[in-house]
Amino acid sequence: MASIQQMREQREAKAKELRKLNDDTPEGAWGEAEQKAYDAAVAEIDRLDGAIERQQKIDNLTVRQNQRIERKAFADGISEGQAAAELEQERAITAAWMRGGVSALTDEQREASRARAAQRAGVYGTMSTGTGSEGGYTVPSEVATELLEEVKEYGGVRDVATVMRTAGGHTINWPTMDDTAEEGELVGENAQVSGSDPTFGTVGIGAYKYSSKSVAVPFELLQDSSIDIVGYVYSLLGGRLGRITNKHFTVGTGSNQPKGLVTASSLGVTGAAGQTASVTFNDLIALEHSVDPAYRKNQKCGWQFNDDTLKVLKMLKDADGRPLWMPGLTVADPNTIMRYPYTINQSIEKMAAGAKSILFGDFSKYLVRDVLDVQLFRMVDSKYTEKGQVGFLAFSRADGNLIAASNKCIKHYANAAA
């Protein structure tokens, strides 16, 4: 099996081959032979991208753990060795609690939990007979970060938005402004300059409460010490939290839930009659230029759409017959549509009559706020016990909103209504 470095080199060579094909083909000369070579190269790049992504996810686990250690060492003013030991202890406490509840904790783990509870919140020993819960476990911030990393795998908005994590959940009045119309002035010698202060506004970024819904884990998995029970449970809970929060960060109404990207965006282009499930090259050009040039220069400016829409866009060609989709020259470089990177977001509508199916703009102007006060519950009432299971439930808090004072930064393409 090829190493990840070998696969990266193979992909880079194939991407350069495809780029050369595009650059060397004269205008208007793109024909059947060029298209066949392009399709073959794209298929090979897609295959390599899939293999690289799978291996990269494994490698990322080590990178993320090292980042957690560095963050904790810096925040607590301790050595990285001590930070690693404390993180391992926190994770071991979480695992012991998941496997056997509060009674499964050792004396040392109980003392460590009490010490942490004195600073913030820890393992609660209260029994709730009404819910069959053994009490909640307020996850340490670095362990909560691990759960939120699982959440990120299920979405799209978090990949390009500005993400902020806070310890508390009080509402933050975030300042907004739009200075794109302001300009300087020519002044004469000894003349008084004019005043022109930008207009500031605020948008409230709160913390809506989200539930993973309860998930059941068999006794056998809890009893198997070779199973990474924390990672397994977090994958289940994180997937559910990731799907619902990404949905709201995308199409949330802003009323008793986050205001999503699509909701906050404004109309850039509407497809012509008959374009209920399609888009044209000229539509994409018009959508691009509906966004203020000041935002188009930013690194996070790009496209966002459903994977089904990507299939449509990969078939589009420019006025000279060249495909709009191009691979990044290296794995680190993004694939592009018309030179802009794109993000797959399954919460955006597929192309259909009246659908807002494509977003374009500077997505760093969307703020995602996570509260690190994540709480887990372990449930052992009869509905689980009779089936040889233990229930787990997670609560997290998050919000999202556009933090630009105008709607110039993100626009959407709407398919024709009929």
Side-chain angles (χ1 to χ4, degrees):
M1 180 180 177
S3 68
I4 190 169
Q5 182 59 34
Q6 289 172 325
M7 290 188 289
R8 285 172 176 163
E9 291 171 357
Q10 292 169 13
R11 187 205 183 279
E12 183 176 345
K14 190 60 65 174
K16 288 180 177 178
E17 175 186 318
L18 197 154
R19 288 291 184 101
K20 187 175 187 302
L21 172 68
N22 183 69
D23 295 341
D24 291 351
T25 303
E27 293 184 9
W30 190 277
E32 184 177 341
E34 287 77 15
Q35 188 63 44
K36 185 176 180 181
Y38 172 87
D39 291 342
V42 169
E44 179 63 9
I45 289 171
D46 285 345
R47 183 190 70 79
L48 289 167
D49 279 345
I52 291 169
E53 182 180 4
R54 288 189 292 273
Q55 184 59 46
Q56 190 65 57
K57 284 182 177 180
I58 298 173
D59 295 345
N60 285 346
L61 295 176
T62 301
V63 173
R64 288 174 182 171
Q65 179 62 14
N66 291 336
Q67 290 173 340
R68 293 184 202 119
I69 292 170
E70 291 170 1
R71 282 197 301 266
K72 185 171 180 62
F74 178 78
D76 296 351
I78 57 179
S79 69
E80 290 190 5
Q82 184 179 347
E86 290 184 7
L87 282 176
E88 182 61 31
Q89 182 187 51
E90 290 174 353
R91 207 170 195 275
I93 292 172
T94 304
W97 176 79
M98 284 182 174
R99 293 184 191 280
V102 175
S103 61
L105 270 60
T106 66
D107 291 342
E108 181 183 359
Q109 289 172 333
R110 288 172 185 271
E111 182 57 36
S113 294
R114 279 193 290 267
R116 187 168 59 81
Q119 296 178 330
R120 185 166 176 79
V123 177
Y124 296 94
T126 55
M127 302 293 288
S128 176
T129 55
T131 62
S133 170
E134 293 189 335
Y137 180 72
T138 301
V139 179
S141 61
E142 284 300 333
V143 182
T145 298
E146 183 178 347
L147 175 61
L148 292 173
E149 285 166 353
E150 288 288 344
V151 170
K152 183 181 177 181
E153 294 295 323
Y154 299 85
V157 174
R158 290 174 184 271
D159 292 334
V160 287
T162 298
V163 179
M164 175 179 64
R165 292 175 178 175
T166 62
H170 61 281
T171 297
I172 300 173
N173 291 317
W174 198 271
T176 63
M177 66 169 288
D178 176 23
D179 199 32
T180 57
E182 299 295 336
E183 60 182 17
E185 63 178 347
L186 178 67
V187 296
E189 186 175 350
N190 299 321
Q192 177 69 41
V193 301
S194 302
S196 181
D197 294 330
T199 302
F200 286 88
T202 60
V203 58
I205 305 294
Y208 293 103
K209 186 177 181 179
Y210 284 94
S211 159
S212 64
K213 298 182 180 179
S214 60
V215 297
V217 178
F219 288 163
E220 290 79 5
L221 285 183
L222 294 172
Q223 294 165 354
D224 190 339
S225 60
S226 67
I227 297 292
D228 175 12
I229 195 63
V230 176
Y232 177 76
V233 172
Y234 276 13
S235 178
L236 294 176
L237 303 179
R240 294 182 176 194
L241 291 170
R243 292 183 190 99
I244 183 60
T245 53
N246 187 74
K247 179 180 178 180
H248 285 171
F249 295 154
T250 305
V251 295
T253 63
S255 176
N256 297 318
Q257 60 183 246
K259 189 172 187 179
L261 277 170
V262 175
T263 308
S265 70
S266 57
L267 177 65
V269 180
T270 300
Q275 289 178 208
T276 57
S278 62
V279 64
T280 67
F281 171 52
N282 287 340
D283 288 334
L284 295 182
I285 291 178
L287 182 59
E288 174 191 4
H289 288 274
S290 70
V291 171
D292 191 283
Y295 296 112
R296 299 206 306 266
K297 295 176 182 177
N298 291 346
Q299 202 171 23
K300 289 291 182 73
C301 185
W303 313 94
Q304 198 162 151
F305 37 68
N306 191 288
D307 188 60
D308 279 15
T309 301
L310 177 59
K311 289 191 291 186
V312 175
L313 297 178
K314 277 187 171 182
M315 298 177 190
L316 289 183
K317 297 180 175 63
D318 64 17
D320 294 318
R322 290 185 172 88
L324 304 185
W325 184 91
M326 280 289 147
L329 287 178
T330 69
V331 176
D333 297 326
N335 300 330
T336 61
I337 300 283
M338 292 170 51
R339 307 182 316 280
Y340 292 100
Y342 58 84
T343 303
I344 298 299
N345 183 346
Q346 292 300 85
S347 295
I348 295 178
E349 294 178 284
K350 299 178 183 179
M351 287 194 172
K356 298 174 182 177
S357 57
I358 302 174
L359 295 179
F360 178 79
D362 179 8
F363 297 113
S364 70
K365 300 304 180 185
Y366 190 85
L367 178 67
V368 170
R369 188 264 186 98
D370 290 313
V371 180
L372 288 172
D373 189 14
V374 176
Q375 194 169 39
L376 293 180
F377 282 84
R378 183 180 190 273
M379 296 167 288
V380 291
D381 60 13
S382 60
K383 77 172 185 177
Y384 294 106
T385 303
E386 289 173 356
K387 297 179 182 179
Q389 300 169 336
V390 170
F392 290 95
L393 173 66
F395 289 102
S396 68
R397 293 186 291 166
D399 194 9
N401 207 335
L402 194 65
I403 54 173
S406 73
N407 57 6
K408 300 177 183 177
C409 58
I410 299 177
K411 302 278 188 169
H412 66 257
Y413 169 77
N415 290 94

